[in-house]
Amino acid sequence: MTGKIFFKLIGAVLGLLVVALVAVDFFASKIAESTYLETLERELIDKGKMLAIALPEEPAQFKRYAAAARGRLTLIARDGRVLADSEAAADKMENHSNRTEVQMALAGQTGSTRRQSPTLGVPFLYVAVPVEEGALRLAVPLSEIQSQVDAIRRRMLGSTALSFLPAILLAALFARWVSRRLGNIIEYSAELAKGNFQARLARPGGDELGLLERKLNETGETLEGMFQELQREHAELEKLERIRKDFVINVSHELRTPLASIQGYTETLLDGAIHEPEHNVRFLGIIRQNAERLGNLTADLLTLSRVEMKQQKFQFASYNVHALVQDTLDSMLPLTQRKNLTIHFHRMLGEPEAFCDAEAVNQVLTNLIDNALKYSPENGSIIVGMRDLAPLPFTEIFVQDSGIGIPPEELSRLFERFYRVDKARSRELGGTGLGLAIVKHLVKAQGGEVSVQSEVGRGSEFSFTLPHDDLGMSEHSDIRSQLTIP
């Protein structure tokens, strides 16, 4: 590729030099011819004036003078008759009174003209000067003049051609330099066309080609950024698609289990078990339990749906954290009494405030305490407390239980939708697998973070943070990625 560019460039330069040489030949030849004729004309005039001073009388001497002057010498009377000529018989020559140069010489001036001689049939340069007898004319054949002009022309062409040699050498070096850079640009463009957006042109110059190289590098950087963004978006879409499929599968499974149970026990009752006192009440209880499970699952799915459709609204304001937690604990009191569990509330000093949504905080605490109730043994205890995270402008609320704990390898996936550590026990306890995912979403939407610490056999601690002041969070939930991506 570089070789082709080089030969094209050097060919173009050589073509320009040839055109320049032809132009020099044409214009310089004209100038040389004109200059030579003007110089020769002045020389002939000077020679004619010198010969007029000592005009020869004998024909032999007249011819010697003409040879010395290197031209044709003619003496013309005032009436136009030819008195003597160095190359023809004077008495046989026609009257020259009508010749332009002769007329000017007879008028006392120096005259000159170029024309073909009627006597010899050859073009001449004629110069005439006034003398006592009339006019003395000196003529030189134009063929001799042309030969001199051609000689000058050849010398000029040779000199010009020699002067072009350094130009050709410089042109070759320049063509080599340009062809190499253009070759690099073409190769780089080919790399971009193949999708290699990491490639770059090294050391762009400060000229126009350098500007082109810098712009191509900028284009490569832009394309690389766009390609990486497309790759990230593609990976994100693939991940979302996998999660969507998993979600559909999980929802189908979660719905199928209670529906199958309801259908099975209903058919059993219809088949006659409804009249069996030892079974009918128990079967109806199971049907009710699965119906409640379906209701809880539907409610959680609707919450997630509002989040993903950006229909979840928040009403942010400053609230007393003690009051928020106490309201939730009061609402959970019947459940704790039913399971003979005790909740201890560890307050902070002072009256801490948080900028949050009261309903969202209540739902977060309800889900966390409900989980603690499910996995804590009877007659156990649950601790709900707060910590000041100064100098960070956040308050942390935590829920500790005395349950069985969670293995370390399971902690990173606890906040995924439908993820359960112990699937069988979770379903037995009525869990939907969506509670912690909702917790994560609601906390994120308020500008906080959620975390968990646990040790097998010694219980777990779930905690979340709330900001002291307004962080500029949107009133509409827009953190879909927090739910769909683990």
Side-chain angles (χ1 to χ4, degrees):
M1 181 63 70
T2 302
K4 290 182 179 179
I5 297 175
F6 171 78
F7 286 116
K8 287 181 180 179
L9 288 175
I10 198 65
V13 172
L14 290 177
L16 290 174
L17 292 178
V18 169
V19 171
L21 190 61
V22 172
V24 168
D25 177 44
F26 177 77
F27 292 107
S29 297
K30 295 294 182 182
I31 295 173
E33 181 179 1
S34 175
T35 303
Y36 183 76
L37 286 174
E38 290 176 358
T39 303
L40 181 60
E41 187 176 327
R42 287 194 297 270
E43 290 180 355
L44 291 177
I45 291 173
D46 292 341
K47 289 179 180 179
K49 289 179 179 180
M50 292 175 63
L51 292 173
I53 297 173
L55 190 65
E57 297 179 356
E58 298 180 359
Q61 190 176 9
F62 197 82
K63 289 182 179 182
R64 287 198 298 271
Y65 273 39
R70 300 180 64 182
R72 180 185 177 187
L73 194 61
T74 306
L75 180 61
I76 304 165
R78 292 188 176 278
D79 58 1
R81 291 180 297 105
V82 177
L83 301 176
D85 190 88
S86 61
E87 296 184 8
D91 54 352
K92 294 182 179 180
M93 296 178 66
E94 62 183 14
N95 191 288
H96 280 44
S97 60
N98 61 345
R99 306 293 195 273
T100 302
E101 72 279 3
V102 174
Q103 291 176 351
M104 295 180 66
L106 293 176
Q109 300 177 358
T110 300
S112 63
T113 187
R114 302 169 196 169
R115 69 173 181 275
Q116 186 168 340
S117 171
T119 304
L120 300 178
V122 178
F124 275 84
L125 169 64
Y126 295 99
V127 174
V129 297
V131 294
E132 185 177 349
E133 289 81 358
L136 180 64
R137 190 180 69 179
L138 189 62
V140 177
L142 288 178
S143 60
E144 295 183 7
I145 297 174
Q146 189 61 45
S147 64
Q148 294 295 328
V149 171
D150 290 341
I152 295 173
R153 177 184 174 189
R154 286 191 295 271
R155 289 195 296 271
M156 289 180 62
L157 286 176
S159 300
T160 305
L162 288 175
S163 67
F164 279 176
L165 290 178
I168 294 174
L169 179 60
L170 291 175
L173 294 175
F174 176 76
R176 178 62 181 170
W177 177 70
V178 173
S179 63
R180 185 175 63 252
R181 294 185 66 182
L182 286 176
N184 291 336
I185 290 174
I186 292 173
E187 291 176 0
Y188 177 66
S189 300
E191 289 297 318
L192 290 181
K194 291 189 293 186
N196 182 15
F197 303 129
Q198 291 80 25
R200 295 290 182 272
L201 285 168
R203 300 187 299 277
D207 54 1
E208 287 75 10
L209 285 178
L211 177 61
L212 176 60
E213 290 168 342
R214 288 194 296 274
K215 293 300 181 182
L216 284 174
N217 277 342
E218 292 175 5
T219 301
E221 292 174 1
T222 302
L223 289 174
E224 182 182 8
M226 294 174 61
F227 183 71
Q228 290 176 351
E229 182 64 25
L230 287 174
Q231 284 184 319
R232 286 193 293 269
E233 291 181 359
H234 181 69
E236 185 76 9
L237 289 174
E238 287 184 340
K239 185 181 292 185
L240 290 174
E241 179 62 18
R242 289 196 304 270
I243 293 172
R244 184 192 67 81
K245 291 180 179 179
D246 292 342
F247 177 76
V248 171
I249 293 172
N250 286 328
V251 169
S252 300
H253 180 74
E254 294 295 330
L255 291 174
R256 187 186 304 114
T257 302
L259 285 174
S261 180
I262 291 173
Q263 182 178 2
Y265 282 104
T266 302
E267 291 176 353
T268 301
L269 289 171
L270 292 175
D271 288 340
I274 193 171
H275 301 295
E276 300 175 1
E278 68 274 15
H279 297 301
N280 54 10
V281 175
R282 184 170 63 86
F283 288 172
L284 288 173
I286 294 173
I287 291 173
R288 179 181 177 181
Q289 181 182 359
N290 281 278
E292 290 177 351
R293 181 179 172 188
L294 281 175
N296 293 334
L297 179 60
T298 302
D300 288 345
L301 286 173
L302 287 175
T303 300
L304 290 178
S305 176
R306 287 195 301 270
V307 171
E308 299 218 355
M309 296 300 293
K310 300 182 181 180
Q311 296 176 350
Q312 180 77 19
K313 292 185 178 181
F314 298 94
Q315 295 180 349
F316 294 109
S318 292
Y319 293 94
N320 183 287
V321 182
H322 287 156
L324 290 177
V325 175
Q326 189 62 58
D327 289 343
T328 304
L329 293 179
D330 292 342
S331 66
M332 300 292 291
L333 186 59
L335 291 177
T336 59
Q337 292 176 345
R338 189 182 309 164
K339 202 170 181 180
N340 295 324
L341 290 171
T342 303
I343 297 181
H344 301 284
F345 183 18
H346 291 185
R347 298 173 178 266
M348 288 176 52
L349 295 177
E351 297 295 330
E353 289 192 351
F355 193 84
C356 58
D357 179 272
E359 184 178 347
V361 172
N362 177 266
Q363 186 171 358
V364 169
L365 273 172
T366 298
N367 286 358
L368 293 180
I369 295 173
D370 184 61
N371 273 357
L373 292 173
K374 289 176 181 177
Y375 294 100
S376 294
E378 289 191 10
N379 302 316
S381 63
I382 297 172
I383 299 175
V384 178
M386 292 172 288
R387 302 186 186 98
D388 189 1
L389 300 182
L392 298 177
F394 288 91
T395 296
E396 183 180 61
I397 302 174
F398 63 87
V399 177
Q400 292 180 356
D401 62 54
S402 55
I404 60 175
I406 303 168
E409 64 273 10
E410 306 284 352
L411 294 179
S412 61
R413 301 191 60 188
L414 280 180
F415 297 96
E416 296 180 22
R417 293 182 299 182
F418 296 112
Y419 185 78
R420 299 180 177 89
V421 177
D422 188 342
K423 297 178 175 56
R425 185 177 181 187
S426 177
R427 291 194 178 93
E428 180 184 344
L429 295 174
T432 65
L434 297 174
L436 291 180
I438 293 174
V439 166
K440 182 178 180 180
H441 152 62
L442 294 176
V443 171
K444 289 281 187 180
Q446 298 175 93
E449 296 289 339
V450 63
S451 61
V452 59
Q453 296 179 355
S454 183
E455 185 176 346
V456 177
R458 303 192 63 177
S460 306
E461 177 184 295
F462 288 83
S463 61
F464 64 96
T465 58
L466 294 175
H468 295 165
D469 303 306
D470 184 5
L471 299 181
M473 304 302 293
S474 173
E475 292 185 353
H476 294 272
S477 173
D478 189 17
I479 55 170
R480 186 179 308 176
S481 61
Q482 301 299 333
L483 288 173
T484 58
I485 300 175

